[in-house]
Amino acid sequence: MSDDLHELASKWKVSSDASKVHRDAYVWDNTLPWSREAKPDIRVKHLSRMKEAGHDVLSLTLGGDRTSLSQAVHKIASERQYFQSHSDDFVLVESVADIKRAKQENKLAIVFHFQGTNPIESNVQMAEVYYRLGIRHMLMAYNLRNPVGDGCKERMDSGLSHLGVNLVQEMNRVGMVVDCSHTGYKTTMDVMDVSTAPVVFSHSNPKALNDHPRNILDDQIKKCAGTGGVVGVNGVGLFLGDNDSSTENQIRHVDYLVQMIGADHVGFGNDHVYAPEETSPSAWNPPAAGDVPWSEISYTQPEQMPKFTEGLLKKGYSESDVSNILGGNWLRIAEQVWK
């Protein structure tokens, strides 16, 4: 074992085999909410933790259904300036080549996304503008109804609106990945009928393992894979079940998906790493029956990811399958969809 691998195995507290797979893979967390970065200590702390735990690519939420067009543009401008001015540590991603370059240079590759379509303010032409500004995926509706469709916690379960159809088609045209997490069942099924490019659930878990409104049904999972898409398992205890964000529980969800749709259609988007005291409830996120108080929600932490890699290997997954689940599948989606 090389000195480098020995050092990583010791730091991550995993085997040399797991260390090598984790080091060599594109470890891509496809959902990291990014609303508290005004506190510099939080920004630095969490990004450095991600890097130390072997992450290569992070997709940061820069806005969503609570964000106006003006707010979104200002936010993007601020974040672009920050990451471009810290080029010793980060690569602000415009292309797949940037992700590969970041890996070679041992830097974190930074991708942007929206959790909701309200920042377009019902103008589908904004999809191209946002794409050019770095937004690479956008989910349709965040829990509640918007002009595109219903969210997964809405009273009704209507399908994709005419505006939504046009938006999906425009996102396909410009190369922005269509994301169905947080979105209502019928809307997601319509989206997957309309889209001519792979559709993803960036951070959604199987409802068969935990019956929560944020989780998705088997037919949604299968239809997503049928588009060539990827389902990203998240690390929120409420959605994993029993408020248990352990590596074992997350792997249970991954394995359920792999057995159904194959390892080429599974990834992860942990969704949160902030401590509970740094979060707060929202009218956009009404509690579901059985939810624990907001301050008690558990989240998968970055330091668990090397153990996630080791756990998959111990279950008998091949190194190539583990590598794809860690991020190779998100990389494939980017190669297929981005323009």
Side-chain angles (χ1 to χ4, degrees), residues 51 75 77 79 242 255 266 271:
K51 185 60 181 169
K75 176 72 167 176
E79 294 303 324
D242 297 324
D255 193 55
V266 182
D271 194 23

Side-chain angles (χ1 to χ4, degrees), residues 37-93:
E37 74 301 322
K39 298 180 179 179
D41 59 324
I42 294 179
R43 174 191 287 274
V44 173
K45 178 175 70 174
H46 288 300
L47 291 177
S48 62
R49 287 175 66 200
M50 292 290 210
K51 185 60 181 169
E52 284 296 307
H55 291 74
D56 300 293
V57 191
L58 303 178
S59 186
L60 308 181
T61 307
L62 296 197
D65 277 348
R66 293 164 283 184
T67 312
S68 70
L69 189 156
S70 176
Q71 290 170 329
V73 171
H74 282 286
K75 176 72 167 176
I76 293 169
S78 173
E79 294 303 324
R80 288 183 65 86
Q81 190 279 330
Y82 177 85
F83 288 110
Q84 287 173 331
S85 66
H86 290 77
S87 58
D88 288 345
D89 299 312
F90 307 105
V91 172
L92 183 56
V93 171

